[in-house]
Amino acid sequence: MWKNKNVWILLSGEFIAGLGLWLGIIGNLEFMQEKVPSDFMKSLILASGLLAGLAVGPYAGKLIDRMKKKTVMLAAGFIRVVSVVFMLIAIQTGSVLWMVVFLMVIQLSAAFYFPALQAAIPMVVKGKELLQMNGVHMNVSTLSRILGTALGGVLLVIMPLYMLYILSLLAYAILFGLTWFLSFQEEETSTMAKGKAGGFKEVFPVLKNLPIVSMTLIMTLIPLLFIGGFNLMVINISEIQDSTAIKGWIYTAEGLSFMIGAFAVKRIGEKISPYRILFTFSFIIGIAQLVLYFAGNPVLSVLSFIIFGFAVGCFFPTAATIFQTRIPKDYHGRFFSFRNMLDRMAFQVVLLMTGLLLDLVGLPVMTVLFGGFSLIMTTIFYMRFKALQEGKTQEIEA
């Protein structure tokens, strides 16, 4: 896999673009802190971009299945470069409306780029290398997040805000250039040959015929119970312990643990099936949530995030591999667009639910509720999986 130049192009592009993304996010927060006093208005501004991405999701899926993945990635990459210009105008004019335009355009780009990337990865590496590639790709994304946020905070002290976006634009331009050098054989799917592809409704019968994929899709919502309210929980833990330092420890521990898990999953995948990996680490995620009942204890709170980071580092590459190998390639664009939309909606719901529960019952009780729900859902799906396996065995014997 490491001799494949496409792998290096994708990973280098992900790292550079990730730095640009997180520099931009730090810049967004700084701009809003200066121009928007209301926290509710800040959330509405950020939601405007997410809603724009959701709106084009069905069309993005159809287009990705009709066209070559590299073409879609190039077009989306160009739009991403252009989007930064709107933010530079916002800084120059002090207009929040231009920031809204920037957020909407960059999310429109993401709605096309990321599903196309997920659909392209199986064309770049061999089937046996998919799990490793997905794990490394997520590790690179995590590393760029850690370095991007740290770099953004430092740069804000020594240079004006607009320079962060100049650097972000440069990163996106490099990604666009690297994408040109991708060269992989794209099999002409039936939808490509006919020049047409339906909407999400054509994906649902496929999911119905592949119950393990349906279960995996729903199970990906279990880690989102933790991820959706991640920042709110970290802030709450900091307040419970009356410590600002604990936030840094938690973010660092979780990020490093995630990277270790994403590297380790390849070795684990050589010994047990991807489905058992999925159920095992989904169960461990539930355990990690329960450990946060002791959020007042610094050691146990950091331990909870270490457990969670390692578990999701194994969980997400495995889920991505199941989707890429089990879903027919004709439907990859629409499926990954649908999954992207589902994740975005779930993230918003969990974020609101976390805020509400933190106010109503507090962090310890909320984590018990979330942890209990995760364990129950994992057990139900595991029993369903076992029933399906036994059913297949009986069919073969008959």
Side-chain angles (χ1 to χ4, degrees):
M1 184 182 88
W2 297 113
K3 295 179 181 179
N4 186 338
K5 72 167 188 176
N6 291 313
V7 169
W8 286 103
I9 291 171
L10 285 177
L11 295 179
S12 301
E14 176 65 29
F15 180 74
I16 294 168
L19 286 178
L21 171 67
W22 285 98
L23 285 175
I25 289 173
I26 295 297
N28 293 345
L29 297 176
E30 180 71 14
F31 183 80
M32 285 193 296
Q33 192 170 343
E34 292 178 2
K35 304 294 181 183
V36 185
S38 166
D39 287 335
F40 180 65
M41 285 302 297
K42 289 173 187 172
S43 67
L44 287 179
I45 290 169
L46 293 174
S48 65
L50 292 171
L51 289 174
L54 286 173
V56 299
Y59 177 72
K62 290 192 288 185
L63 190 71
I64 292 165
D65 281 334
R66 288 178 186 173
M67 299 179 65
K68 290 187 178 295
K69 311 301 179 281
K70 179 180 174 179
T71 303
V72 176
M73 290 168 68
L74 282 169
F78 178 75
I79 293 171
R80 185 185 286 175
V81 173
V82 172
S83 70
V84 183
V85 175
F86 297 120
M87 192 61 213
L88 292 173
I89 296 173
I91 294 171
Q92 184 67 29
T93 61
S95 170
V96 176
L97 286 176
W98 278 110
M99 181 184 186
V100 172
V101 174
F102 159 71
L103 291 171
M104 293 179 71
V105 175
I106 201 167
Q107 288 294 337
L108 288 173
S109 166
F112 286 88
Y113 181 83
F114 290 108
L117 174 64
Q118 285 295 312
I121 287 176
M123 301 177 183
V124 169
V125 297
K126 298 174 183 177
K128 63 181 181 180
E129 297 169 340
L130 265 179
L131 184 59
Q132 183 184 13
M133 177 61 182
N134 285 319
V136 174
H137 186 263
M138 289 180 183
N139 261 344
V140 169
S141 177
T142 303
L143 185 61
S144 69
R145 169 169 61 88
I146 294 170
L147 294 178
T149 50
L151 184 62
V154 172
L155 291 178
L156 272 176
V157 177
I158 61 176
M159 61 176 58
L161 179 61
Y162 75 88
M163 281 303 299
L164 255 67
Y165 290 97
I166 295 293
L167 293 174
S168 183
L169 187 150
L170 180 62
Y172 293 151
I174 293 172
L175 172 63
F176 179 73
L178 286 172
T179 306
W180 275 104
F181 292 100
L182 283 173
S183 58
F184 53 90
Q185 188 65 36
E186 295 201 42
E187 297 175 12
E188 191 174 75
T189 62
S190 59
T191 50
M192 248 190 224
K194 294 174 183 175
K196 62 180 181 180
F200 288 160
K201 64 182 180 181
E202 293 186 0
V203 176
F204 299 141
V206 177
L207 293 176
K208 186 178 180 181
N209 293 328
L210 295 169
I212 186 60
V213 175
S214 302
M215 285 192 287
T216 303
L217 185 63
I218 297 171
M219 284 181 66
T220 57
L221 301 180
I222 291 175
L224 285 181
L225 287 175
F226 210 114
I227 296 170
F230 194 98
N231 293 327
L232 291 177
M233 287 191 290
V234 171
I235 291 169
N236 206 269
I237 291 169
S238 176
E239 292 172 351
I240 290 172
Q241 298 183 13
D242 192 22
S243 167
T244 55
I246 193 67
K247 289 187 284 190
W249 283 106
I250 287 173
Y251 281 118
T252 303
E254 188 274 338
L256 292 175
S257 183
F258 179 95
M259 294 175 68
I260 293 170
F263 273 121
V265 71
K266 180 181 180 293
R267 294 291 182 88
I268 298 171
E270 292 171 356
K271 298 177 181 178
I272 59 177
S273 74
Y275 308 114
R276 293 196 181 278
I277 293 175
L278 206 68
F279 291 115
T280 299
F281 287 103
S282 178
F283 194 85
I284 291 174
I285 288 168
I287 297 295
Q289 290 168 326
L290 292 177
V291 173
L292 265 186
Y293 178 79
F294 305 100
N297 185 303
V299 174
L300 290 178
S301 57
V302 172
L303 177 63
S304 171
F305 283 90
I306 290 174
I307 295 170
F308 173 75
F310 186 84
V312 292
C314 295
F315 183 96
F316 280 129
T318 304
T321 303
I322 290 172
F323 295 145
Q324 290 163 346
T325 54
R326 297 302 300 270
I327 294 288
K329 289 184 178 180
D330 282 20
Y331 298 91
H332 272 187
R334 282 163 288 174
F335 172 78
F336 286 118
S337 290
F338 173 70
R339 188 199 167 194
N340 193 33
M341 287 179 63
L342 187 65
D343 284 349
R344 285 167 182 260
M345 287 188 290
F347 189 92
Q348 293 300 310
V349 171
V350 170
L351 180 60
L352 294 172
M353 188 167 60
T354 300
L356 180 64
L357 287 174
L358 284 173
D359 285 341
L360 293 177
V361 299
L363 180 66
V365 176
M366 184 194 77
T367 54
V368 169
L369 292 174
F370 281 2
F373 178 80
S374 298
L375 295 178
I376 291 169
M377 290 299 293
T378 301
T379 302
I380 290 172
F381 281 119
Y382 180 70
M383 297 301 292
R384 171 67 176 152
F385 172 73
K386 291 288 289 183
L388 287 170
Q389 292 296 99
E390 290 172 3
K392 285 183 181 179
T393 304
Q394 289 174 359
E395 285 180 13
I396 292 171
E397 291 175 351

